[in-house]
Amino acid sequence: MAPENSTWVTEFILTGVSDKPELQVPLFLVFLVIYGLTVAGNVGIITLTSIDSRLQTPMYFFLRHLAIINLGDSTVIAPKMLVNFLVKKKTTSYYECATQLGGFLVFIVAEIFMLAVMAYDRYVAICNPLMYMVVVSQRICFLLVALTYLYSFSTALVVSSCVFSMSYCSSNVINHFYCDNVPLLALSCSNTYFPETVVFISAAMNLFFSMTIVLISYFNIVLSILRIRSSEGRKKAFSTCASHMTAVTVFYGTLLFMYLQPQTNHSLDTDKMASVFYTLVIPMLNPMIYSLRNKDVKAALKRCMTNSCYSFKPMKF
């Protein structure tokens, strides 16, 4: 129980990536470049998959939404982070902090399940190609994306409400560069058993179900590729999912590194570094992964650079 003369928190102070004054400007420049590349890359993917007639397929429809999610995720975090590198008092209001946590949860949960949806799309394309346009129809695509956003919004609303239903008094220094649930709950002067349980169950269920979909999809994809007799056929089949496999490996690898550390080695500083990777670095890398390793995207980029894309063409498949 908090003492009666406690001062209730109306704002929080973010410690940032580093508290060393001499690193603030160099870090600002590094993350400004990262955020600039993230915006340029993801806006580029969104634009290409919207206006190029040859990219109007389920695969690129899902890629467009992954780019929207990556752009949203980094935009929730990066602008405030960049400002805090240049100011002495790194404060954020109570409601601004709650909004940032909610926005972060919406986009990170949406990314987890959008990658699972994309894995399912590749499974159908490779393992059941004759039924692909029936199984992954336009209606199903819209439904999968809508359910992903609806579930992520619901999860964010429940988790952030639990976190901010706690009482915060006296201590208001968040050992992080954005408002995250774990360092926030560490500051609470209430019993945090219930919100910690909600956060744990939510994170565990999201990772378990999404990774199950991804692993089952790719297990069947690998089996199907191995059944192809010609090396050229195997290479062509593998090339259709190589970009997504790379993105999935990087994203889930980071999350597993963060959540499967032994408790003795776990620290909030380690969490910070992992968070930098999946909130800022991965959204920057994904457009590069999907453009550099994808012939269709590279060809679409060349067509647009030579002014062959003039008008928006809606998705038709």
Side-chain angles (χ1 to χ4, degrees):
M1 182 76 67
E4 299 217 358
N5 61 354
S6 302
T7 303
W8 297 98
V9 169
T10 58
E11 65 177 17
F12 294 99
I13 298 171
L14 297 164
T15 59
V17 177
S18 172
D19 56 0
K20 295 181 179 179
E22 66 273 14
L23 292 179
Q24 300 306 300
V25 173
L27 286 172
F28 168 80
L29 295 173
V30 168
F31 286 106
L32 181 63
V33 170
I34 290 174
Y35 183 57
L37 290 173
T38 300
V39 172
N42 285 290
V43 168
I45 292 289
I46 294 165
T47 304
L48 282 177
T49 55
S50 297
I51 66 176
D52 193 281
S53 59
R54 299 184 192 183
L55 299 184
Q56 304 307 309
T57 65
M59 175 181 172
Y60 294 108
F61 175 71
F62 295 134
L63 177 58
R64 184 189 315 157
H65 283 278
L66 180 65
I68 292 169
I69 290 165
N70 284 160
L71 183 61
D73 194 10
S74 58
T75 300
V76 165
I77 305 297
K80 182 67 177 178
M81 180 188 187
L82 291 170
V83 169
N84 283 346
F85 281 127
L86 302 178
V87 296
K88 288 185 178 179
K89 195 176 181 184
K90 300 172 173 57
T91 58
T92 182
S93 72
Y94 183 91
Y95 293 107
E96 184 182 9
C97 189
T99 302
Q100 187 181 54
L101 174 62
F104 163 71
L105 291 172
V106 167
F107 290 115
I108 200 69
V109 173
E111 183 169 4
I112 287 171
F113 283 98
M114 189 57 65
L115 288 171
V117 167
M118 293 173 76
Y120 173 72
D121 169 71
R122 291 299 83 207
Y123 157 73
V124 177
I126 293 171
C127 300
N128 199 0
L130 296 179
M131 294 294 292
Y132 180 61
M133 299 310 293
V134 176
V135 177
V136 193
S137 63
Q138 184 173 359
R139 183 180 177 183
I140 295 297
C141 286
F142 281 118
L143 180 63
L144 288 172
V145 169
L147 287 174
T148 296
Y149 287 131
L150 181 63
Y151 176 75
S152 63
F153 181 79
S154 302
T155 301
L157 189 62
V158 170
V159 173
S160 57
S161 296
C162 285
V163 171
F164 280 91
S165 67
M166 297 294 98
S167 299
Y168 294 92
C169 43
S170 300
S171 179
N172 68 336
V173 179
I174 300 174
N175 186 18
H176 218 308
F177 59 90
Y178 69 94
C179 294
D180 196 9
N181 44 46
V182 174
L184 269 167
L185 289 174
L187 301 179
S188 177
C189 51
S190 304
N191 185 340
T192 59
Y193 175 77
F194 178 72
E196 284 177 348
T197 303
V198 170
V199 168
F200 175 78
I201 291 174
S202 174
M205 285 179 60
N206 291 339
L207 277 175
F208 174 77
F209 285 116
S210 62
M211 285 190 69
T212 299
I213 294 169
V214 170
L215 290 173
I216 291 174
S217 296
Y218 275 105
F219 177 76
N220 284 286
I221 286 170
V222 170
L223 289 181
S224 293
I225 291 175
L226 291 176
R227 290 193 195 105
I228 299 173
R229 294 183 179 181
S230 69
S231 59
E232 187 64 31
R234 285 196 297 270
K235 184 178 178 182
K236 185 177 179 181
F238 180 75
S239 68
T240 64
C241 58
S243 298
H244 184 254
M245 286 180 69
T246 305
V248 163
T249 301
V250 172
F251 182 76
Y252 283 107
T254 304
L255 290 182
L256 291 174
F257 167 78
M258 183 172 171
Y259 287 109
L260 297 182
Q261 294 177 79
Q263 196 63 34
T264 52
N265 297 334
H266 191 271
S267 71
L268 284 175
D269 288 334
T270 307
D271 284 356
K272 278 190 203 179
M273 293 304 103
S275 296
V276 165
F277 206 77
Y278 68 73
T279 60
L280 298 169
V281 177
I282 288 177
M284 176 191 72
L285 291 177
N286 277 345
M288 298 180 188
I289 291 169
Y290 282 102
S291 59
L292 295 176
R293 297 182 63 89
N294 190 299
K295 293 179 181 178
D296 292 337
V297 174
K298 287 192 284 187
L301 182 59
K302 287 179 182 177
R303 287 194 294 274
C304 284
M305 290 176 69
T306 54
N307 298 318
S308 62
C309 296
Y310 290 105
S311 61
F312 172 81
K313 298 178 181 179
M315 181 176 66
K316 293 180 182 179
F317 52 81

